[in-house]
Amino acid sequence: LNIKLNYMQIIYQIFKRGNRTILSLTLVMILTIVLMNYHNYKKSFNEKNIKNLINNIYFKKTLMNIFNQFDPKYEKIYHNVSKGQSLSYIFNKYSVNENELELIQKSLIKKYKINSLKINDLLEFTIDRSNQKITEFYYPVSKTKKIYLTRTKDFKFFNEKTITTKLTRKIIYEENIITNSLYKSAIDMEIPDSIIVEFARIYGFEIDFQRDIRKKDSFQILYEIFNDENDEIVEKGNILFANLNLRGMNYPLYFFNKNNLRGHYDESGKSIIKTLMKTPINGARLSSPFGMRKHPIDGFNKMHRGTDFAAPMGTPIMASGDGVIVKAGWCGGGGNCIKIKHNSVYQTIYAHMSKFSNNVKKGMRVKQGQIIGYVGSTGKSTGPHLHYEVIENGKKINSQTLRLPSGKVLKGKDRKLFETVKIKLDVLKSEKIIGIN
């Protein structure tokens, strides 16, 4: 009996303890649910109040007034000059005090023509927005020189300082096989446009880039560039060496600049320059030769007393020789045209231009290879092209069959100097090819 009673007491104690545990768990669950509901209620209430506060117009105005106090007092301006823009226009654009222009002009007018801004010049200046006055101003004189003006403490004058950019000369060697055109093959090697134009110019006396170059011909070029402190190209230099390999034949040229004999010479010391260039345009296609043809607009046969070069609109056109412009204007069926007198024997005409180069006008002297205008389709024309004429002793002749005397031939001491320069350039080229220089 006693054993039975003890057993019942043990079961009672276990049951009693189990109720407590269940009760405790129940209370904890109820408390958790109550707290979560209260938290969600408070969160919803706070979000609603914050949203109402943010949307309140008076609160918005207060914030705007606060943030306006944080606007920078000094504003740095970087402005690239566009066509027709003057310093007065630029200052007005950025709400600069109208008296600032006169003050800056007084600081620079003695040395520089401050109003002669060039397209793409970068003007840098800082404006004090509390009084709309300029505190510092950079004026570009050239690619390597700037004038830096800083405001005096009394704001009455500017202090002037000249800043010169130090340039590093680099010599680049590139070569490539021509698969489509010389221009495309050169661009693929990331050769600068101005270097490609110069390459075409120096070979333009001997090579017709449309008819003489074939696929799998090749070129080599050694040229200078000048980089600034950021290793960006600021200026392009000379082509020191160039070679065209046309159907297995090499046509090397060397740059020589001694005793006022600056230019490119072949291996024998003969200058590449002739009286007139064979082709005054790069990358063009001979679309209509000199001779009888059916006129594409008039519809009847007539003598074509020039050579037509089809090229994309805007392609640069070069003066084929040194001379003086005797006409630059409208030529009827020839559209916009330029006529150059080279000497007592030769004159050239360039017709159907879209526009002339800057400052080109009658009476202006031009150099061989200088860009005088751009391909267009003005006048009697069915598409963009250059109509090019050569006049010899008053008679229009075929420019493509014209044989002109070669340029200067180096002799004596000049020839010896040239041979030394040629050897040095050949060594430099070899070092660049094998990568030891």
Side-chain angles (χ1 to χ4, degrees):
L1 183 61
N2 288 333
I3 292 172
K4 192 174 182 179
L5 288 171
N6 289 335
Y7 179 72
M8 293 294 292
Q9 287 177 353
I10 291 170
I11 293 173
Y12 173 74
Q13 290 298 326
I14 292 172
F15 179 76
K16 187 176 180 182
R17 290 176 182 172
N19 284 343
R20 288 178 181 175
T21 302
I22 292 170
L23 182 62
S24 298
L25 289 172
T26 302
L27 289 173
V28 170
M29 289 177 65
I30 292 171
L31 183 61
T32 300
I33 292 170
V34 170
L35 288 174
M36 286 180 66
N37 284 331
Y38 178 74
H39 173 73
N40 289 335
Y41 169 76
K42 288 289 290 180
K43 183 179 179 182
S44 176
F45 179 79
N46 289 336
E47 287 179 350
K48 185 176 181 181
N49 284 342
I50 290 172
K51 192 173 182 180
N52 288 336
L53 178 63
I54 290 174
N55 290 328
N56 185 284
I57 189 170
Y58 298 105
F59 178 72
K60 287 182 178 180
K61 287 184 176 180
T62 303
L63 281 180
M64 288 297 292
N65 288 331
I66 292 172
F67 286 124
N68 284 338
Q69 300 300 317
F70 297 139
D71 281 348
K73 181 182 179 182
Y74 299 102
E75 182 180 2
K76 185 76 173 180
I77 303 295
Y78 298 90
H79 181 88
N80 281 100
V81 177
S82 299
K83 185 177 181 179
Q85 290 185 345
S86 64
L87 196 58
S88 174
Y89 169 87
I90 294 168
F91 281 0
N92 185 58
K93 174 182 173 68
Y94 295 102
S95 302
V96 175
N97 189 301
E98 59 183 12
N99 296 323
E100 294 299 276
L101 178 62
E102 183 180 356
L103 190 59
I104 286 179
Q105 285 179 328
K106 284 181 179 179
S107 300
L108 295 174
I109 198 70
K110 295 177 181 178
K111 295 183 179 179
Y112 308 104
K113 294 180 180 179
I114 188 68
N115 285 325
S116 300
L117 298 177
K118 298 176 184 176
I119 296 174
N120 293 326
D121 271 353
L122 176 64
L123 294 183
E124 304 174 48
F125 52 96
T126 301
I127 305 171
D128 183 343
R129 285 304 181 191
S130 65
N131 54 22
Q132 304 298 86
K133 292 186 176 182
I134 291 175
T135 59
E136 59 178 4
F137 181 82
Y138 290 88
Y139 177 71
V141 178
S142 67
K143 291 181 179 180
T144 59
K145 186 177 178 181
K146 291 181 181 179
I147 302 301
Y148 177 47
L149 302 179
T150 52
R151 202 77 182 222
T152 56
K153 291 182 179 180
D154 59 7
F155 264 76
K156 292 182 178 180
F157 303 100
F158 283 99
N159 294 317
E160 179 186 321
K161 181 181 178 182
T162 300
I163 299 176
T164 303
T165 302
K166 184 179 179 181
L167 299 182
T168 303
R169 177 177 179 256
K170 290 186 178 181
I171 297 178
I172 308 297
Y173 174 80
E174 298 289 357
E175 61 179 45
N176 202 3
I177 294 173
I178 300 171
T179 56
N180 185 7
S181 68
L182 173 68
Y183 182 81
K184 176 66 167 57
S185 299
I187 285 293
D188 289 344
M189 304 307 296
E190 298 183 351
I191 298 173
D193 278 354
S194 60
I195 297 295
I196 300 173
V197 170
E198 176 65 4
F199 188 94
R201 185 191 74 80
I202 62 178
Y203 277 106
F205 301 101
E206 294 288 341
I207 305 298
D208 185 321
F209 286 95
Q210 176 60 33
R211 294 182 293 178
D212 294 342
I213 293 179
R214 301 286 185 269
K215 287 184 178 180
K216 296 186 178 181
D217 287 342
S218 62
F219 70 88
Q220 297 172 307
I221 184 170
L222 189 73
Y223 64 93
E224 301 170 310
I225 59 171
F226 296 89
N227 292 4
D228 60 16
E229 294 93 335
N230 299 319
D231 205 34
E232 294 183 358
I233 298 176
V234 176
E235 292 182 355
K236 287 86 174 180
N238 298 300
I239 295 177
L240 303 177
F241 168 82
N243 181 48
L244 268 176
N245 184 287
L246 306 180
R247 294 183 290 284
M249 292 289 293
N250 286 308
Y251 296 87
L253 296 175
Y254 298 85
F255 180 68
F256 183 67
N257 188 21
K258 304 287 184 181
N259 300 334
N260 296 319
L261 295 171
R262 177 189 175 92
H264 290 87
Y265 296 79
D266 66 15
E267 289 180 301
S268 62
K270 183 186 294 184
S271 173
I272 193 67
I273 293 178
K274 294 186 178 181
T275 308
L276 298 175
M277 295 171 65
K278 194 172 185 179
T279 308
I281 188 171
N282 181 29
R285 173 177 58 85
L286 180 61
S287 56
S288 183
F290 186 94
M292 288 295 297
R293 67 165 187 177
K294 184 177 181 180
H295 196 279
I297 292 178
D298 294 338
F300 54 84
N301 291 336
K302 62 186 297 187
M303 188 66 178
H304 185 230
R305 300 186 184 277
T307 305
D308 288 352
F309 297 97
M313 184 76 72
T315 301
I317 298 168
M318 297 176 283
S320 64
D322 293 355
V324 176
I325 295 177
V326 294
K327 182 178 180 62
W330 188 259
C331 297
N336 293 323
C337 85
I338 286 177
K339 184 176 183 179
I340 300 175
K341 182 177 181 179
H342 301 285
N343 50 38
S344 60
V345 177
Y346 292 106
Q347 298 181 68
T348 53
I349 295 174
Y350 314 77
H352 304 304
M353 292 182 176
S354 59
K355 61 179 181 179
F356 305 135
S357 293
N358 291 336
N359 302 321
V360 163
K361 59 183 179 181
K362 183 179 179 180
M364 175 182 174
R365 181 167 291 279
V366 293
K367 300 291 290 182
Q368 193 169 55
Q370 180 178 336
I371 295 174
I372 56 174
Y374 303 89
V375 168
S377 188
T378 55
K380 284 187 176 182
S381 170
T382 58
H385 72 284
L386 166 67
H387 174 80
Y388 174 58
E389 295 182 3
V390 174
I391 302 172
E392 183 182 49
N393 292 320
K395 181 180 178 182
K396 294 182 179 180
I397 62 173
N398 188 348
S399 63
Q400 301 307 290
T401 59
L402 176 65
R403 292 190 175 275
L404 295 167
S406 299
K408 297 177 182 178
V409 178
L410 298 175
K411 297 178 180 179
K413 291 182 179 180
D414 293 329
R415 177 62 185 272
K416 290 179 180 179
L417 278 174
F418 172 73
E419 291 298 328
T420 302
V421 169
K422 186 173 74 169
I423 291 170
K424 288 181 178 179
L425 288 175
D426 282 335
V427 171
L428 180 57
K429 178 191 67 172
S430 299
E431 289 176 342
K432 290 289 181 181
I433 290 173
I434 62 179
I436 66 170
N437 189 312

